[in-house]
Amino acid sequence: MAPRNEAGYRSAALRRVLIPLALAQFICSFAGSNMNVMINDISEDLDTSVQGVQVAITLFLLVMAALMIPGGKLTDKYGRKRCFTVGLVIYGVGAVMSAAAPGLGILILGNSILEGVGTALLIPPVYILTTLLFTEVTSRARAFGAISAMGGIGAAAGPLIGGLITSAISWRAAFVFQALVIAIIVVLARNITDPLPPDRTRPFDTGGAILSAVGLVLIVTGILAADNNAWLMITLIIAGALVLVWFLRSVRAKERAGTDPLLSTALFRNRTSNLGLVTQNTQWLLLTGVSFVVAAYLQVVRGYDAIETGVIFTAETAGLLAASLAAERFAKRRAQRTLILAGFLVVIGGTTVLLALVSGTPNVWAFAPGLLLIGLGLGVMLTPSVNIVQSAFGEHQQGEISGLSRSVSNLGSSLGAAIAGTVLVAGITSTPERSYALAMVVLALVGLVGLVAATFLPRTGSPSGPAQQAISSVQTEFTDPPHKDVSSPFRRPWRTPRR
């Protein structure tokens, strides 16, 4: 009975570790969406313009996009647990500062800068620690399923939760809520330690970090400018692309010189990972784009307030949560490629149902079936896409691929808002129903792009080659006898429970 008890203890300990990691993803996704329903309240209270608050939201996205890759790389040098904790503290300070902000400047410093920096530091460790601690495909799928579910809930339910808090108390209370969740995460995460020690001797590519940050800032700024000035958008995106080309050339030069660049070119030579990144980008584009389009239609055309709009989105949230929590069961029965393909098909079908039902009736319940299907489809494929990307590389590249993966997902979110916003602004005041339908059709076409990319994924979802060897080396830390394990990922050592 002892081995079974020991296995049960290890499983329970891993589940306890998963809670703060999933909560961290939830609060960061929540922060990215809840401010959309507080713009008017914040602008009136701080005596500023709506555009000023929108600048704060945009800067938050820019800081995250610029620093996510360097943030992932720093985990190798300073440790995943330390970066996670420092990120939480910085984020918490930013949330408290935002709650007490007397003006727009302090709000930008707290929300846009500090919360953005904190997010860039704490999110890569979430995915690195999950990859290293959960070493078996189905258990990792369950872990990423929980994290994806919490991330999806944070993004989808952010407007509802933010709207309820703002209506019942104040917009400042929404930031207090964030600070309280951060405090809970810090307490829950106190017993987590790295499965692998940090390497203080590893150099940090400061020049590469600056180039990658500038390139991503220019591209994201261009994307966000899509609904205002097409020429500015094109100029910024081209400039960003040129800077990123400069960054890649510097990476190759550093590799030829034998130094450690910010990102290894080997990351881009992995066909499976590249395809997985495309599917990740597309999934977050769809999640953000659908939320933006439906929310705009409900509030501008139907005249619903923030709470009513958030309630309608519970169908999508429920679907995403149900599918994400079933990720382990799906991973046991189906290949990850199959799950991603099925997810895209369900999302495209949900978009079609949404268009068909909403256009034929003014009933608010007509939104529920389509949103439910979209949530189910996204929930089915978010986890295997992350699993495929993270599992494609060994432990020594987890910091790099985690930062790259999160940057690609953030770009997808920015693209979703930009594409949807551009289509809607083109004619929502004169022909709102037609603009709404056109935006949803465009998103369905984007879903087809993701579906095509998924068809080229390998049919097996198990890691192989170097990644498998690295995973096996980490796995020995958990399969050794408990009383011999001196490098446990938890402060409390394994021991046989008393009978």
Side-chain angles (χ1 to χ4, degrees):
M1 293 295 293
R4 181 175 298 178
N5 290 337
E6 292 162 8
Y9 178 80
R10 287 196 295 271
S11 177
L14 285 172
R15 284 197 297 271
R16 287 195 295 271
V17 167
L18 182 60
I19 293 173
L21 299 180
L23 277 176
Q25 179 62 78
F26 164 81
I27 200 63
C28 291
S29 297
F30 173 84
S33 65
N34 84 111
M35 273 189 71
N36 292 328
V37 299
M38 301 187 294
I39 292 177
N40 288 331
D41 295 87
I42 294 175
S43 62
E44 292 175 3
D45 191 16
L46 299 184
D47 193 23
T48 186
S49 64
V50 171
Q51 288 75 17
V53 182
Q54 289 174 333
V55 167
I57 297 174
T58 301
L59 284 176
F60 175 73
L61 294 173
L62 289 175
V63 171
M64 279 200 305
L67 299 182
M68 197 67 74
I69 292 176
K73 189 68 173 181
L74 285 173
T75 62
D76 297 327
K77 187 176 181 67
Y78 296 107
R80 289 136 290 273
K81 169 64 183 300
R82 177 170 295 180
C83 287
F84 183 66
T85 304
V86 171
L88 288 171
V89 172
I90 294 175
Y91 188 107
V93 171
V96 172
M97 187 178 294
S98 300
L104 181 62
I106 300 299
L107 179 67
I108 289 176
L109 177 60
N111 175 253
S112 307
I113 307 301
L114 293 182
E115 288 193 21
V117 171
T119 300
L121 282 174
L122 72 90
I123 285 299
V126 168
Y127 290 84
I128 300 169
L129 288 169
T130 302
T131 303
L132 295 179
L133 296 176
F134 295 85
T135 56
E136 194 265 329
V137 173
T138 54
S139 66
R140 186 181 295 164
R142 176 179 57 194
F144 278 133
I147 292 171
S148 298
M150 294 302 287
I153 291 172
L160 173 61
I161 298 173
L164 288 172
I165 294 175
T166 300
S167 300
I169 308 175
S170 164
W171 65 268
R172 298 180 185 274
F175 287 103
V176 174
F177 169 75
Q178 293 181 47
L180 291 174
V181 173
I182 290 294
I184 292 171
I185 297 171
V186 170
V187 173
L188 292 175
R190 68 188 186 280
N191 291 329
I192 302 176
T193 56
D194 276 339
L196 300 171
D199 184 2
R200 293 295 182 87
T201 63
R202 293 190 68 167
F204 182 75
D205 183 7
T206 304
I210 294 173
L211 286 176
S212 68
V214 171
L216 288 172
V217 165
L218 289 172
I219 287 178
V220 173
T221 304
I223 292 171
L224 295 173
D227 58 349
N228 295 319
N229 189 320
W231 286 111
L232 178 61
M233 174 196 73
I234 294 172
T235 301
L236 290 172
I237 291 177
I238 291 175
L242 291 174
V243 172
L244 290 180
V245 169
W246 183 7
F247 164 67
L248 291 175
R249 288 175 64 88
S250 72
V251 166
R252 293 193 183 97
K254 288 182 174 66
E255 287 183 332
R256 286 193 297 267
T259 57
D260 191 17
L262 186 71
L263 285 178
S264 170
T265 55
L267 295 179
F268 304 99
R269 292 197 293 266
N270 189 304
R271 180 173 177 271
T272 299
S273 173
N274 290 340
L275 291 169
L277 289 172
V278 172
T279 62
Q280 271 188 303
N281 180 275
T282 308
Q283 290 157 13
W284 283 98
L285 189 157
L286 290 171
L287 176 59
T288 305
V290 168
S291 299
F292 188 96
V293 172
V294 176
Y297 181 79
L298 289 171
Q299 295 181 72
V300 175
V301 180
R302 295 289 180 91
Y304 296 145
D305 60 24
I307 296 178
E308 292 170 331
T309 301
V311 169
I312 294 172
F313 272 103
T314 54
E316 182 185 49
T317 306
L320 198 151
L321 177 61
S324 296
L325 293 181
E328 181 186 19
R329 193 180 312 118
F330 292 152
K332 289 179 179 179
R333 298 178 181 178
R334 296 288 184 270
Q336 295 182 100
R337 173 181 179 272
T338 303
L339 295 175
I340 297 173
L341 287 170
F344 277 115
L345 288 172
V346 173
V347 168
I348 294 170
T351 305
T352 304
V353 170
L354 195 63
L355 280 170
L357 292 182
V358 171
S359 63
T361 175
N363 194 324
V364 68
W365 294 108
F367 289 88
L371 288 175
L372 178 63
L373 287 174
I374 291 171
L376 286 170
L378 289 170
V380 164
M381 60 181 171
L382 280 173
T383 296
S385 286
V386 172
N387 209 348
I388 281 176
V389 172
Q390 296 288 149
S391 300
F393 298 94
E395 61 192 33
H396 64 291
Q397 290 180 305
Q398 283 299 311
E400 294 174 294
I401 190 58
S402 180
L404 178 61
S405 172
R406 295 304 90 209
S407 288
V408 167
S409 296
N410 285 332
L411 285 174
S413 296
S414 300
L415 275 170
I419 292 173
T422 300
V423 176
L424 288 178
V425 170
I428 195 168
T429 55
S430 57
T431 55
E433 290 82 2
R434 184 179 300 174
S435 298
Y436 163 80
L438 179 59
M440 294 303 295
V441 169
V442 170
L443 291 173
L445 293 175
V446 172
L448 286 175
V449 173
L451 179 66
V452 171
T455 60
F456 292 98
L457 287 168
R459 294 184 179 275
T460 174
S462 300
S464 59
Q468 181 60 55
Q469 295 170 9
I471 291 169
S472 298
S473 69
V474 177
Q475 192 170 15
T476 59
E477 299 182 19
F478 303 97
T479 55
D480 283 344
H483 61 280
K484 293 183 180 179
D485 186 3
V486 296
S487 60
S488 169
F490 312 97
R491 297 191 186 279
R492 180 181 178 186
W494 302 129
R495 60 174 179 269
T496 305
R498 296 177 181 176
R499 294 185 180 134

